[in-house]
Amino acid sequence: MRSDRPLSRAELPIDTAALARFLMGKIVMRALPEGLVSGRIVETEAYIIGDAAGHAYRGITPRTRSLFLEPGHAYVYLAYGISSMLNVSSELPGVGAGILIRALEPLDGIPIMRRNRGIERLRDLARGPGRLAAALRIDRGLDGLDLCREGPLWLAQDSTGPGEIAESIRIGLSRDADRPLRFYSPGNPFVSGPTSLNAG
DNA sequence: TACGTGATTGCCT
DNA sequence: GGCAATCACGTAC
């Protein structure tokens, strides 16, 4: 049986890459009017200090201010005018860095996810950052939320552990694209990205 | 005020 | 595997 106890801030690694690895296997919990929706994190990407591909690279702005909060806050933004992306802030307060949650293995509330996504196929419900945000109905309205306490959206402990964790370069970048800052569960069918990056 | 850009997805072939 | 859709934000004018 899973525990839905929120992660405590004190147990989060400060370092961005370490936190990206730490979050593997943890649970994203989402409280919706229809019920609870949750999924296990199977893919993350770190956007570290001084990262030219990171949104905090040019300093704090109204949009990116959540990345500068203490670790464990939500940074949500809209990409390509269509897809919301869920990130977790990292590093000390005032330092802009974070982790993109790229894919979830659906656990609870799968019928709700199907409704939110408008598709049936289990494997596609939360495989990809925009897809998981849609499945959990996450948008800019949740930006800045504390993910270390139970509420509309939070991070929870897992009981089973992440299993094997592999790493690769990150997906979809044009700058600083060569660093190995993507983490995934090899062999897990709910991981996104091209086959060439998912060896294991 | 205008324009370029992007941590993607879904549909078509 | 290729490509269009679509818009908030940041920067420049």
Side-chain angles (χ1 to χ4, degrees), chain A residues 14-17 19 45-51 54-57 64-73 75 87-92 94-100:
Chain A
I14 298 293
D15 177 78
T16 305
L19 181 56
E45 278 179 359
Y47 288 81
I48 61 177
I49 297 172
D51 193 335
H55 287 187
Y57 184 59
T64 61
R65 71 191 183 288
S66 299
L67 284 173
F68 293 80
L69 298 172
E70 58 186 344
H73 286 78
Y75 167 56
N87 298 254
V88 180
S89 64
S90 60
E91 305 291 342
L92 296 174
V95 179
I99 290 98
L100 172 67

Side-chain angles (χ1 to χ4, degrees), chain A residues 3 6 28 53 65 106 109 114-115 124 126-127 130 147 155 160 164 187:
Chain A
S3 160
V28 178
R65 71 191 183 288
R114 289 203 162 102
R115 220 156 33 237
D124 290 342
R127 183 169 56 92
L147 299 175
L155 292 167
T160 59
E164 186 189 354

Side-chain angles (χ1 to χ4, degrees), chain A residues 42-43 103 123 127-128 182 184-193 198:
Chain A
V42 295
E43 184 183 357
R123 184 165 174 256
R127 183 169 56 92
R182 170 176 177 262
Y184 64 97
S185 301
N188 187 298
F190 299 98
V191 170
S192 78
N198 292 331

Side-chain angles (χ1 to χ4, degrees), chain A residues 86-152:
Chain A
L86 172 62
N87 298 254
V88 180
S89 64
S90 60
E91 305 291 342
L92 296 174
V95 179
I99 290 98
L100 172 67
I101 309 297
R102 285 198 55 93
L104 298 179
E105 176 176 345
L107 296 175
D108 297 308
I110 289 173
I112 301 174
M113 291 196 202
R114 289 203 162 102
R115 220 156 33 237
N116 288 341
R117 291 271 293 115
I119 63 164
E120 285 299 311
R121 203 164 133 80
L122 179 67
R123 184 165 174 256
D124 290 342
L125 286 182
R127 183 169 56 92
R131 289 167 174 165
L132 79 86
L136 271 55
R137 217 180 299 156
I138 291 168
D139 59 27
R140 277 288 283 170
L142 296 172
D143 181 62
L145 195 71
D146 183 0
L147 299 175
C148 293
R149 61 182 297 167
E150 204 168 315

